[in-house]
Amino acid sequence: IEISLTSPLRPQLSIFEYMSMVVAIVLGISITNLLNKLAITLRVGSWGTLWFRSLWCVILLICTIGYLWAFWRIYVDYTEISIWSFIFGPFFTVVCFFLISVLLPIPRESGTDSDAFDVFLEQKKPFYIVLAVLWAHLDMTVVMLDFEQLPLEKLFGYLMVPISLLGCWLKTLRAHQLLAVFWSLCFLSQEAVQFAIA
């Protein structure tokens, strides 16, 4: 059998397949980082005081996997997209997820509960700022792509930004515990509204 050198021998990838490769790689690394940090909190964390760190790991894992799932639904029908739309759209989002997974202040070294919480307080600002930037970007993406949302769903989405930023100024253990719970409840409530619509 003769094969012409001018005939395409490779299958052509769609723009969605190109995008999904990059997105899946970055989100996969993010999920790995969060799982490693969750393992640290389960191994050396004190459930009496530092349980909120495990909660952050779990809820951020759900957020990351949720975006990976939503990415397919949002972009599967795209036949073309500019490089800048990709960079400032889905790529920026997954970079934020990656940075959050790295900046979540959970040290690898085991120490006392007070030492672990001191580390959390010292390194919390970049984590909370990127978390707020991520959610602001997701809110803008919803507007740019013209998704239909109920007012309650929009409210929960907008609340995520100031709630995230609030963490930059909180200084007590109890305040950070409550923040992690409240942030998780807002996220899950928004997801519940989306599920009810679907």
Side-chain angles (χ1 to χ4, degrees):
I1 300 173
E2 292 185 4
I3 299 176
S4 171
L5 293 177
T6 59
S7 65
L9 300 177
R10 296 173 299 171
Q12 297 296 315
L13 295 177
S14 68
I15 191 67
F16 171 74
E17 290 168 328
Y18 275 112
M19 290 193 301
S20 61
M21 283 191 299
V22 176
V23 168
I25 289 169
V26 178
L27 290 183
I29 296 171
S30 305
I31 290 169
T32 302
N33 290 339
L34 289 171
L35 287 172
N36 284 331
K37 291 189 175 186
L38 177 61
I40 291 170
T41 66
L42 296 177
R43 186 174 66 245
V44 301
S46 169
W47 287 100
T49 55
L50 300 177
W51 53 265
F52 73 97
R53 301 186 311 162
S54 299
L55 177 58
W56 273 122
C57 292
V58 171
I59 199 66
L60 291 172
L61 274 168
I62 294 171
C63 291
T64 307
I65 294 168
Y67 181 77
L68 183 61
W69 208 259
F71 176 82
W72 181 85
R73 183 171 56 89
I74 296 168
Y75 293 100
V76 70
D77 293 327
Y78 272 54
T79 56
E80 61 179 65
I81 186 172
S82 72
I83 182 65
W84 297 112
S85 296
F86 175 68
I87 289 173
F88 292 113
F91 186 69
F92 183 86
T93 304
V94 297
V95 166
C96 286
F97 275 112
F98 172 77
L99 290 175
I100 286 168
S101 73
V102 172
L103 296 172
L104 179 60
I106 297 174
R108 291 178 180 270
E109 310 84 30
S110 59
T112 65
D113 291 353
S114 60
D115 289 341
F117 184 62
D118 288 342
V119 169
F120 191 91
L121 287 180
E122 290 170 8
Q123 301 176 3
K124 65 183 178 175
K125 283 189 178 180
F127 166 70
Y128 285 121
I129 289 170
V130 175
L131 191 61
V133 168
L134 167 66
W135 225 261
H137 184 263
L138 290 173
D139 289 338
M140 288 188 296
T141 300
V142 168
V143 173
M144 296 295 291
L145 297 178
D146 198 25
F147 281 148
E148 289 186 24
Q149 287 187 312
L150 291 177
L152 184 60
E153 189 179 0
K154 290 181 181 178
L155 176 63
F156 283 125
Y158 295 145
L159 272 176
M160 302 299 280
V161 177
I163 292 172
S164 301
L165 286 174
L166 181 62
C168 294
W169 292 279
L170 299 179
K171 296 182 179 178
T172 67
L173 175 64
R174 185 65 174 167
H176 282 282
Q177 290 173 338
L178 291 173
L179 178 67
V181 170
F182 191 53
W183 197 96
S184 301
L185 288 175
C186 282
F187 171 74
L188 294 174
S189 298
Q190 185 183 33
E191 293 300 304
V193 172
Q194 290 178 359
F195 181 75
I197 293 172

